[in-house]
Amino acid sequence: MTANWKGRLESLQRTWNHGRAGLQEAWRRTEPARQYARDRLHRMTLGTRLLLILISIAATSTMLTVVMQDSGLTRDLQSAANARLERARNMAAELLRENLRTQANRYRAIANTPQFLANLESRHAPTLKHYAAELANAHGADAILFLDATGKEMAGLGPENLRALALARTMAKQEEAAVSQGSALQPSADYIQLGDTALARVNVPLTLGSVSVGQLVSLETVQSNDLLVWSRLSSATLSFGKETQKSDLSLPVGALGTVGFQVTTSFDVEARALANSRRNLLAGGLLGLALACAASLFLARNLVRPIRAIQGAAERIGAGDLEFRLDMDRGDEVGDVAKALNLMLDHLQENIRERLRFEKQISHLAYHDSLTGLGNRLLLRERLSKALDEAEDPSVAVIFMDLDRFKNVNDTMGHTAGDELLTMVAKRLDDCVQAIELSAGDSD
């Protein structure tokens, strides 16, 4: 009883070991398939790669375009603004000089009138002062001075500080003219600043006949309305101050006396143009990203699906289905791959058929006689061994046949006749065996 249980346990142990070894072998064989599935699970698909590549290209090109165009456009707009500011400064300087010329011509014309010459010839201070008051009321002058040939004030009208400022500036100009031109009485015109007020000073020499008798000096305030008009004409803001600060959008008008006129413009137009350009570029970049997404989906649909079909075909071919063919009518490279795969399958099938034919021929030559086509000694041994193994009782029979006087046939008629005789005998034997098989249903 104990030996019986021991035998059963050993049998169960052998069965268990055999089953475990089979499972381990099956698991080992499925390792490539499981590794392939893991690779497909963790890898990045072609559609995702196309999407990332196209989005990267669109984003990079948009950023580079924005940066390059923003830098270049900012530089160009700054240059345009500076050129516009330079034109405005030239225009403002010309307007200021024209104002001085107009004022100088006006007082020069007054100095040549008979009434003025008569009052000047009298050199009567109250009369000259009265005439200065008329000139101030008629032309809006803040101060009028009549100077003699030595530069001494003969008569004047206006606040004391303005008269003193005008006299000091006139004397300074006369000294500069005397040094450079050798004459003490020269016409001059410039601007003087007093606090927050800019004054236009004009100095006109006075002559009786050909004799110089003095000078007429006038001071007129530059009105804010005049500055507004000149600003509109120059397309910039014209202002003045004690110190002129040069900046990117502000330039000094020039040396027009002690007043620091300057023109100032705004960068608002250029800034709006730059902002619009940035918005347009960003909108174009977003549109490019959208087109990249659409293009990636389109490419993925037109590339990934055929590749999946080719992959499925390869898997079926790997499983042994050599009759499968890809039905893919495309005129691009993917279609060429499908056609090449179908052509490869055709050649593969032809090679397999040819190989089977050769193997069958080789096997037939190995087990059959090349002349008669009957089985040889090797086939006899295999057939007899198999028959003896399958026989349950001694029911196997072997017939041995021989051709009498076959050597005489070869010796008298030649080996060719002997071969023909062997072939004929073999055919008769084969016909007899086939007849027996058809009647009895056995295979001998």
Side-chain angles (χ1 to χ4, degrees), residues 60-344:
T60 304
S61 60
T62 301
M63 291 178 60
L64 290 176
T65 304
V66 169
V67 171
M68 294 176 64
Q69 185 166 343
D70 187 71
S71 176
L73 186 59
T74 302
R75 185 171 55 254
D76 294 340
L77 291 177
Q78 186 67 40
S79 300
N82 291 334
R84 178 162 54 88
L85 186 62
E86 185 67 27
R87 291 193 298 270
R89 179 177 68 172
N90 296 334
M91 177 62 71
E94 183 61 28
L95 290 172
L96 290 171
R97 285 193 291 268
E98 183 62 27
N99 180 59
L100 291 177
R101 284 194 295 268
T102 301
Q103 185 174 339
N105 291 334
R106 186 172 67 246
Y107 285 103
R108 190 178 295 112
I110 293 172
N112 292 325
T113 60
Q115 182 184 2
F116 182 80
L117 292 175
N119 290 326
L120 181 62
E121 188 175 3
S122 67
R123 297 190 181 184
H124 186 251
T127 302
L128 292 174
K129 186 174 182 180
H130 177 73
Y131 190 70
E134 291 181 355
L135 290 177
N137 291 329
H139 300 284
D142 293 279
I144 298 291
L145 285 80
F146 291 101
L147 305 179
D148 59 13
T150 62
K152 182 179 179 182
E153 181 180 347
M154 293 186 297
L157 180 69
E160 185 65 27
N161 60 338
L162 292 181
R163 290 160 55 193
L165 182 62
L167 182 59
R169 183 62 179 168
T170 300
M171 291 298 101
K173 282 290 184 181
Q174 293 301 327
E175 291 177 0
E176 293 177 3
V179 173
S180 61
Q181 302 179 12
S183 176
L185 297 178
Q186 293 292 333
S188 63
D190 57 8
Y191 291 97
I192 302 174
Q193 182 174 351
L194 182 62
D196 295 333
T197 304
L199 302 168
R201 185 195 67 86
V202 172
N203 176 25
V204 178
L206 302 176
T207 59
L208 290 174
S210 59
V211 179
S212 178
V213 296
Q215 304 173 69
L216 170 62
V217 180
S218 68
L219 285 179
E220 292 184 7
T221 302
V222 178
Q223 302 296 329
S224 58
N225 291 333
D226 296 333
L227 291 176
L228 291 176
V229 172
W230 296 339
S231 297
R232 285 195 295 270
L233 292 175
S234 60
S235 300
T237 301
L238 180 61
S239 61
F240 61 90
K242 293 182 179 180
E243 294 183 358
T244 301
Q245 298 293 333
K246 183 181 183 301
S247 64
D248 291 338
L249 299 177
S250 179
L251 289 176
V253 173
L256 296 173
T258 60
V259 177
F261 284 99
Q262 64 182 7
V263 288
T264 305
T265 187
S266 175
F267 197 65
D268 294 339
V269 176
E270 289 78 4
R272 285 194 296 271
L274 184 61
N276 291 332
S277 176
R278 289 172 179 170
R279 283 194 296 270
N280 293 334
L281 287 175
L282 291 176
L286 293 177
L287 179 61
L289 291 176
L291 292 176
C293 294
S296 65
L297 293 176
F298 176 77
L299 291 175
R301 183 171 183 175
N302 286 272
L303 290 178
V304 175
R305 285 187 177 181
I307 293 175
R308 293 287 190 189
I310 294 174
Q311 177 187 359
E315 292 176 353
R316 293 182 64 174
I317 293 170
D321 186 5
L322 300 181
E323 299 295 333
F324 177 77
R325 294 295 184 273
L326 279 172
D327 186 11
M328 191 177 298
D329 187 13
R330 293 173 62 106
D332 52 8
E333 290 78 1
V334 178
D336 295 338
V337 172
K339 294 176 182 177
L341 184 61
N342 292 335
L343 184 61
M344 181 192 71

